[in-house]
């Protein structure tokens, strides 16, 4: 249940939906890259792909909390606009 299974299942689904072979391979590879980026590394081993990365709202992790990256880039926390140092 790793990268190879994810890639072959995505390609089979796209080919079953009558996609062109080259387009199906490209889209399946893109899906695999995104699922590995969102995946879980349970130790020193390989990454377990998160095949449902697309189901999370942007800026939330699987616990429903805001991610660190989005919290750091969020402009709504800047209450007074630009800060001035006296």
């Amino acid at each position: 249940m790793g990268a190879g299974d994810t890639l072959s299942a995505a390609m089979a689904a796209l080919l079953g939906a009558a996609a062109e072979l080259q387009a199906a391979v490209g889209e399946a590879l893109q899906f695999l890259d995104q699922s590995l980026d969102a995946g879980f590394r349970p130790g020193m081993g390989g990454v377990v792909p998160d095949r449902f990365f697309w189901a999370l709202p942007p800026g939330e992790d699987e616990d429903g909390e805001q991610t660190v990256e989005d919290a750091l880039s969020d402009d709504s926390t800047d209450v007074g606009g630009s800060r001035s140092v006296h």
Side-chain angles (χ1 to χ4, degrees), residues 37-58:
D37 287 342
F40 171 69
R41 185 181 302 268
M44 297 298 290
V47 176
V48 177
D50 180 9
R51 295 173 191 91
F52 295 107
F53 67 89
W54 51 268
L56 290 175

Side-chain angles (χ1 to χ4, degrees), residues 14-83:
L14 290 164
L15 290 172
E20 297 274 335
L21 178 61
Q22 291 175 341
V25 170
E27 193 170 339
L29 285 171
Q30 184 179 15
F31 177 79
L32 175 63
D33 286 341
Q34 291 174 346
S35 63
L36 287 174
D37 287 342
F40 171 69
R41 185 181 302 268
M44 297 298 290
V47 176
V48 177
D50 180 9
R51 295 173 191 91
F52 295 107
F53 67 89
W54 51 268
L56 290 175
E60 289 189 10
D61 61 8
E62 48 275 342
D63 298 330
E65 298 175 0
Q66 189 176 25
T67 61
V68 174
E69 293 84 7
D70 289 334
L72 291 174
S73 67
D74 190 8
D75 291 335
S76 65
T77 58
D78 191 13
V79 177
S82 62
R83 293 185 348 190

